[in-house]
Amino acid sequence: MSDTKKNLLGMDQGQLQALFESWGEKPYRATQLMKWLYHQRELDLDKMTNMSKKLRERMATETTIATPVVAERKVSKDGTRKWIMQLADGNQVETVLIPDGDRHTVCISSQVGCMLDCTFCSTGKQGFAGNLDAGDIVGQVWLVHNELLSEGNRGVTNVVFMGMGEPLLNFDAMLSAANLFLDDLAFGLSKRRVTVSTAGVVPGIYKLAEHTDVALAISLHAPNDALREQLVPINKKYNIAELMKACRHYLSGLGDKRSITIEYTLMDGVNDELEHARELATLLRPLRCKVNLIPFNPFPGAPFKRPNTHRVRAFQNYLVDQGFATMLRTTRGDDIDAACGQLVGQVADRTRRAERHRDRIAAREIA
Ligand code: SAH
């Protein structure tokens, strides 16, 4: 994470061109390097023989090319794969591949832990230990893509920033990585297939609109401020009205056919009553959006339960009847703790939150 040498993996085309120009090299060196890194999947400078020996030596001295190191790899019975990725500083984050027909979606982490502490998310309970750099973020996709292609499979087709962390609070690294996911010289994915998901960092949404037009997902989880403040504490800073305004602004830059995804984790007896569905429909009416319902995934010490299928269907049906495209996100990979909200990695917590969470579980077990 904090290697003193700049990691070439993770630098986008503009950054690489600037680096080479600062060395007195032509900008097309960036193109050459990117083709090696992402098309040939070659990380060894010695193999990049269309660049002069002198240039390669300079790159070797002043920069590095590094992915995270795979510490563990698990495969779910439903085909979902999860990697525990070790970063240079010893922290670990998790990356998940969700195969679905010929679609290969990678769910990537952007931070070690998370600062936001949403009450229903196990990542938040781990506390926070820092940001990933762009190389760590891109490296996750690089490794998964390389594994898929080496198996003779189609490579990564979709990337979602829905693993550990809040991507908009690690803006610069997130943006360089997103640029590379879109760039034909790297992963060449369409902007609809790269999704940034946020718990509602409103200034980050405006900033995102200035720089890119990737897909945006909002983790909403409640239709009113009173409830959302309890579930998603950042709502105290940026309330629902401000969040909806930011969403409309982002949408205005996307063109008429595209929409925003609203994520809504259903928790039994908490936010899954029909009354909530009604309130949600009213709230979302003016927004071009699709709704993604996620039945709550349990983790140790979680104070919530997953609603039964009947309640989930009733909630979905109400929204569908109201004209909202409403998908039910099927639970994938929960046998290997790879489902939404179950990613924890190994976080050298700086916030002592993990400790407090363990204390709370212990207190509850004693009571
Ligand atoms: N911080 C960003 C990125 C994480 S995305 C964000 O909040 O959007 C992870 C998604 O899984 C979010 O929609 C999150 O709210 C949801 N999630 C978290 N914990 C969950 C759980 N226990 N069960 C189901 N979904 C959960």
Side-chain angles (χ1 to χ4, degrees):
M1 226 162 78
S2 48
D3 199 308
T4 43
K5 287 186 187 177
K6 189 100 191 123
N7 192 353
L8 294 172
L9 196 79
M11 290 175 75
D12 65 24
Q13 194 173 157
Q15 291 163 339
L16 285 175
Q17 281 174 351
L19 176 73
F20 284 121
E21 276 179 304
S22 76
W23 289 357
E25 292 284 338
K26 293 275 185 290
Y28 74 82
R29 295 293 183 198
T31 309
Q32 286 181 321
L33 177 65
M34 288 175 74
K35 284 184 175 168
W36 281 113
L37 295 178
Y38 302 105
H39 292 182
Q40 307 298 324
R41 292 176 282 128
E42 180 57 70
L43 303 184
D44 182 355
L45 281 171
D46 292 339
K47 304 267 171 59
M48 304 182 187
T49 43
N50 58 353
M51 300 204 232
S52 72
K53 189 121 200 280
K54 193 167 131 267
L55 175 57
R56 281 183 278 140
E57 271 164 14
R58 181 155 192 191
M59 284 156 74
T61 325
E62 296 184 29
T63 68
T64 175
I65 297 177
T67 65
V69 173
V70 175
E72 206 179 320
R73 178 179 174 284
K74 289 184 179 172
V75 182
S76 158
K77 56 183 184 313
D78 68 19
T80 302
R81 305 182 198 180
K82 179 171 98 168
W83 293 263
I84 299 183
M85 306 272 192
Q86 170 116 12
L87 311 176
D89 65 1
N91 279 306
Q92 294 179 341
V93 296
E94 303 191 353
T95 307
V96 178
L97 167 70
I98 307 133
D100 184 11
D102 62 356
R103 188 194 288 206
H104 286 153
T105 303
V106 192
C107 176
I108 54 173
S109 294
S110 56
Q111 296 186 308
V112 185
C114 190
M115 286 203 278
L116 297 183
D117 201 16
C118 300
T119 49
F120 52 89
C121 179
S122 62
T123 302
K125 303 293 159 244
Q126 294 293 299
F128 177 73
N131 282 328
L132 268 66
D133 59 32
D136 295 327
I137 300 177
V138 171
Q140 295 169 64
V141 177
W142 193 97
L143 287 167
V144 176
H145 191 62
N146 189 47
E147 180 171 313
L148 284 167
L149 292 173
S150 308
E151 292 166 349
N153 282 317
R154 187 175 186 203
V156 170
T157 62
N158 299 61
V159 176
V160 295
F161 284 84
M162 294 184 188
M164 296 165 63
E166 168 52 51
L168 293 184
L169 291 181
N170 184 11
F171 195 91
D172 293 345
M174 175 280 300
L175 185 65
S176 301
N179 287 341
L180 285 164
F181 300 146
L182 301 181
D183 196 326
D184 285 338
L185 287 171
F187 297 93
L189 304 179
S190 97
K191 55 199 173 188
R192 293 157 193 267
R193 291 168 181 268
V194 176
T195 304
V196 171
S197 180
T198 178
V201 180
V202 165
I205 298 174
Y206 287 101
K207 197 167 164 193
L208 192 69
E210 278 172 36
H211 292 277
T212 184
D213 57 355
V214 294
L216 180 64
I218 304 290
S219 293
L220 190 65
H221 312 305
N224 61 63
D225 285 321
L227 181 57
R228 192 163 193 269
E229 277 178 13
Q230 292 171 32
L231 301 174
V232 185
I234 199 182
N235 196 76
K236 294 183 194 133
K237 200 160 178 192
Y238 309 111
N239 65 22
I240 293 181
E242 290 173 80
L243 181 55
M244 290 297 124
K245 195 169 159 212
C247 287
R248 286 195 295 277
H249 174 78
Y250 195 79
L251 262 179
S252 68
L254 293 188
D256 294 344
K257 293 220 174 60
R258 296 180 63 195
S259 57
I260 282 181
T261 301
I262 299 292
E263 297 167 277
Y264 195 102
T265 298
L266 289 165
M267 289 162 261
D268 192 38
V270 175
N271 64 351
D272 67 337
E273 309 287 349
L274 276 185
E275 187 48 39
H276 295 121
R278 259 187 286 266
E279 217 179 331
L280 187 63
T282 307
L283 174 70
L284 297 180
R285 185 85 55 214
L287 190 71
R288 212 163 53 242
C289 65
K290 294 188 190 118
V291 181
N292 234 318
L293 298 175
I294 318 167
F296 174 72
N297 292 310
F299 57 87
F304 301 107
K305 278 196 341 221
R306 180 184 296 190
N308 64 35
T309 317
H310 176 73
R311 285 176 79 90
V312 172
R313 286 286 172 207
F315 200 96
Q316 181 184 25
N317 289 342
Y318 181 84
L319 292 174
V320 170
D321 286 346
Q322 291 296 309
F324 292 93
T326 311
M327 299 292 292
L328 194 58
R329 197 180 287 170
T330 44
T331 302
R332 297 285 305 264
D334 54 345
D335 55 331
I336 54 167
D337 285 340
C340 300
Q342 293 185 322
L343 304 185
V344 292
Q346 200 175 87
V347 178
D349 183 18
R350 292 192 195 149
T351 60
R352 295 196 58 242
R353 201 189 294 139
E355 210 177 298
R356 291 197 297 275
H357 181 61
R358 279 194 296 273
D359 289 348
R360 273 197 302 273
I361 298 178
R364 218 178 295 145
E365 278 166 2
I366 293 165

